[in-house]
Amino acid sequence: MRVFWMGISRMRRYAGFSVIFGLLVVSGFWFALFGGCSRAPRRPNVLLIILDTTRADAIGAYGSSTAKTPHIDALAARGLLFKKMVTQNPYTLGSITTILTSLPPDLHGIRDNSNFKLAGEAETLAESFKAGGFATAAFVSAYPIRAETGIHQGFDLYDDDFSMGFPVFEIQFEPMKATRQGAERRGGETVSRAIEWLEPKRRGGNPFFLLVHLFDPHQPYDPPPPFQAEFRGNPYGGEVAYCDSLIGSLLGRLEQQDLLNSTIVAVVSDHGEAFHEHEEVGHGFLLYETTMRVPWIMAGPQIPAASIEGTARLIDVAPTLMGACGLKIPAMFQGDNLMSELAVAAAGSTIRLSERPTYFETYYPRMTHHWSELLGWRDGPWKYIRGPRPELFNLERDPDEALDLYHQERAKAAELSAAMDDYLQRSSPYRLSPLAEAPDAETMEKLRSLGYLGGSTPERAIERPGWECGLPDPKDAIGAWNLRQEANAFLRIALVQFQAGQFEKALEWADRSLASDESRMDALMVRAKSLAALNRLDEAHDSFEKLLRHQPEDAAAWSGFGIVQDRLGRPARAEEAFVKSIELDSTLSDAHFNMGSLLIRQGRIREAVPYYEAVRRLQPEDASLRADLARLYMSLEKVQDMESVLEEGYATDPRHPGILLLLAQLRIHQGNLGEGRQLLERYLELYPERPDAPEVRTLLASLGDES
């Protein structure tokens, strides 16, 4: 070998063609030594995990002392952790569109979760990977990013099936169970389907681009066991921890299939979440760091382990992933391939990105509440927010955005405002015109079940800024909105507790709802009914009177008021209340039943019958009502009517004890001893321990042997 290298060294002294010949010889030697390279090296797989509604400080790797995210933290330890990652929309569809198109919101044009569809001419990350020979699949967890929104472009498989049942784990969320079905699925279901797709026979032999979206950290926070108990005081943290465990399952399957070392794994969030900072609860309304700063972690082959300072943006995710795979980045992508700045990183180093100004916005308040939109521009430490009341913050000195410097730093505010105007007025061949149309009733209901939508008719053509139209600033309007939302949540719990027979707890939560919003008459109704159930009749009387002063046409309130009057020993006033209730709503079965019961206790049997007959029509499956009505007809000696009601009740519920006994007595009275005996025997078979069982046995014995 030494002689060979010496020969090559001497050849360098000759003419240029000899040098070229020498290089060819060397390359031929290495080709022979390693068996040649007939194909380009296989590209890495890509797993992109989008955590919905996840703040950066909910992740342990970002310094949280309460987070339990070991799998995400381990990814950060062996890869890149972007410390100043920012979103450009604080709501789901807009942000995920930005991730998948590398277009800022002013170019892709998606302004909220309900009215917009991505234009078909957009070039998505999935389309780019597919063009590069990748198998592509997405498994998403919530209705706002269903395929109909257009962001499914380029995926071989886009799984947005939300038809399965939606489990809940805390009792206060039981009323939501039915409405969430069709709007969301638990992350465990999403990940299970993604793992199935990872089987080689499903994804084929190509490298893959797999998107997994987990919606669980979104409100309401209801983590499954064991996270439910472990995070009793921090259910949001429990949801994030649950998602981390699902990421562990995904990575574990990759490792089992010997794919982990050849897969780039990126974890990013679409937006954060506010917990009363700046009076915001949730996200979408304001542009503070609580909802705009998000995590981004990336690890895998050729990805260095480093901590990244400087601003990174959601629009940078797509080109950076493509750059890491050595793929050509589409001209339409407006973000930066950060790998070009990160490739020189040494393990464990800290790298500062070059600063890149960033535009961000939220039209969500205008779309859903008819409040003003907010626009923003950040450059280095400075952050400017334009709205009816503009704001300016220095994030280096004031990371919590507690000190608005707009009036003290007018020159800096003007500079940033002008830069944003130049940006928004630029010409671009990639400015899209998304489809904007009013959502149908089903879409509205599903989005409402997820906590979206306000009470206003959405705007689809915005001609003037909100601050020029006199629209309220979201900062000023959100306080009252929060109280209404809080009142809704407390009322939901009160209703569940009342239905469970926990009247003290129902009263407590109804009072909390009223404390948040004293105009909530539905909460006042629960309060009045709970007081009546607790036999606190004077207080119940006062609550029903207050309710009826505000809602004099409320039939249910009149019926409840009548019950309280009856129990206070005021039958005449009770009767007036029941009659009023039935006049207002003749389909309210409770009012008919209560009126009938009042008349029976007064001995007015014939007058009671029409009210019970009304309940019979309104509640065709109520066997107990039919037993009561049969007794009325028996007392009035209307045998034929009694028989009709009992046969109807028996067809409805052949096991009902009252129906069995009454029908047996009727058959015996009619001389049909055989059927009467069978009904009594059936009764004893079903209810041998009931107090009246001995009397039934005596009656049965008195009939003698059937033979």
Side-chain angles (χ1 to χ4, degrees), residues 322-362:
M322 295 200 70
C325 294
L327 294 171
K328 182 180 179 181
I329 299 169
M332 181 176 273
F333 283 14
Q334 299 297 290
D336 294 325
N337 170 18
L338 301 183
M339 292 305 300
S340 60
E341 295 188 49
L342 305 176
V344 297
S349 63
T350 298
I351 303 172
R352 176 170 287 278
L353 298 171
S354 56
E355 281 298 338
R356 33 185 58 80
T358 305
Y359 170 74
F360 50 100
E361 68 176 34
T362 180

Side-chain angles (χ1 to χ4, degrees), residues 494 498 503-504 506-507 510 525-535:
F498 186 86
F503 303 120
E504 289 281 6
L507 177 61
M525 172 71 89
V526 176
R527 182 179 200 278
K529 290 167 66 175
S530 298
L531 288 166
L534 293 167
N535 210 35

Side-chain angles (χ1 to χ4, degrees), residues 426-439:
R426 74 198 186 287
S427 61
S428 172
Y430 307 118
R431 191 177 302 279
L432 303 180
S433 297
L435 179 66
E437 60 182 20

Side-chain angles (χ1 to χ4, degrees), residues 431-453:
R431 191 177 302 279
L432 303 180
S433 297
L435 179 66
E437 60 182 20
D440 58 27
E442 180 184 1
T443 297
M444 295 284 282
E445 183 56 37
K446 287 178 178 176
L447 291 170
R448 188 173 286 109
S449 76
L450 298 174
Y452 297 115
L453 306 181

Side-chain angles (χ1 to χ4, degrees), residues 27-53:
S27 64
F29 170 77
W30 287 108
F31 187 92
L33 183 63
F34 289 109
C37 251
S38 59
R39 291 180 302 176
R42 178 185 171 91
R43 299 192 188 280
N45 307 303
V46 177
L47 169 59
L48 173 59
I49 301 168
I50 301 178
L51 297 177
D52 212 287
T53 324

Side-chain angles (χ1 to χ4, degrees), residues 430-511:
Y430 307 118
R431 191 177 302 279
L432 303 180
S433 297
L435 179 66
E437 60 182 20
D440 58 27
E442 180 184 1
T443 297
M444 295 284 282
E445 183 56 37
K446 287 178 178 176
L447 291 170
R448 188 173 286 109
S449 76
L450 298 174
Y452 297 115
L453 306 181
S456 302
T457 302
E459 294 180 73
R460 285 173 292 281
I462 295 177
E463 299 177 356
R464 296 172 58 207
W467 46 89
E468 292 182 5
C469 301
L471 298 182
D473 194 308
K475 299 187 292 292
D476 300 326
I478 198 168
W481 168 254
N482 286 338
L483 289 175
R484 290 194 295 274
Q485 293 300 97
E486 188 176 67
N488 282 338
F490 293 156
L491 174 61
R492 193 164 56 241
I493 299 172
L495 287 167
V496 171
Q497 297 291 2
F498 186 86
Q499 291 164 3
Q502 301 293 322
F503 303 120
E504 289 281 6
K505 291 182 178 179
L507 177 61
E508 174 191 343
W509 286 103
D511 283 342

Side-chain angles (χ1 to χ4, degrees), residues 160-379:
D160 60 352
D161 177 14
F162 313 126
S163 63
M164 65 292 300
F166 186 82
V168 297
F169 306 103
E170 293 284 358
I171 187 173
Q172 63 263 35
F173 300 127
E174 280 292 334
M176 295 183 171
K177 194 171 183 177
T179 60
R180 305 291 274 202
Q181 183 174 352
E184 178 186 357
R185 65 182 174 193
R186 289 284 181 180
E189 176 71 26
T190 302
V191 167
S192 176
R193 294 186 179 208
I195 285 175
E196 285 182 19
W197 183 83
L198 280 171
E199 298 297 330
K201 63 182 179 181
R202 292 180 179 270
R203 58 181 172 80
N206 294 332
F208 62 78
F209 168 54
L210 172 60
L211 167 64
V212 177
H213 165 255
L214 302 176
F215 195 67
D216 299 79
H218 197 283
Q219 288 181 326
Y221 316 125
D222 183 30
F227 305 99
Q228 176 190 34
E230 186 178 357
F231 290 85
R232 178 62 64 186
N234 178 20
Y236 172 76
E239 294 277 31
V240 175
Y242 170 54
C243 288
D244 180 81
S245 74
L246 297 175
I247 291 173
S249 298
L250 268 171
L251 300 183
R253 180 53 61 97
L254 289 174
E255 192 166 23
Q256 289 171 11
Q257 296 187 0
D258 197 26
L259 292 170
L260 187 58
N261 291 332
S262 59
T263 300
I264 294 172
V265 182
V267 179
V268 68
S269 175
D270 56 348
H271 55 77
E273 186 80 322
F275 297 100
H276 291 282
E277 299 96 336
H278 302 273
E279 289 198 81
E280 186 175 20
V281 177
H283 56 270
F285 297 103
L286 306 178
L287 294 175
Y288 299 113
E289 295 297 276
T290 50
T291 60
M292 302 304 287
R293 181 172 175 245
V294 296
W296 182 19
I297 291 164
M298 194 165 77
Q302 308 304 314
I303 304 293
S307 178
I308 312 302
E309 301 281 357
T311 302
R313 309 158 299 176
L314 280 193
I315 56 171
D316 300 326
V317 172
T320 300
L321 287 175
M322 295 200 70
C325 294
L327 294 171
K328 182 180 179 181
I329 299 169
M332 181 176 273
F333 283 14
Q334 299 297 290
D336 294 325
N337 170 18
L338 301 183
M339 292 305 300
S340 60
E341 295 188 49
L342 305 176
V344 297
S349 63
T350 298
I351 303 172
R352 176 170 287 278
L353 298 171
S354 56
E355 281 298 338
R356 33 185 58 80
T358 305
Y359 170 74
F360 50 100
E361 68 176 34
T362 180
Y363 277 83
Y364 179 77
R366 186 154 183 179
M367 295 288 107
T368 62
H369 290 70
H370 205 57
W371 303 341
S372 177
E373 70 274 24
L374 298 175
L375 314 180
W377 186 260
R378 60 193 304 156
D379 191 355

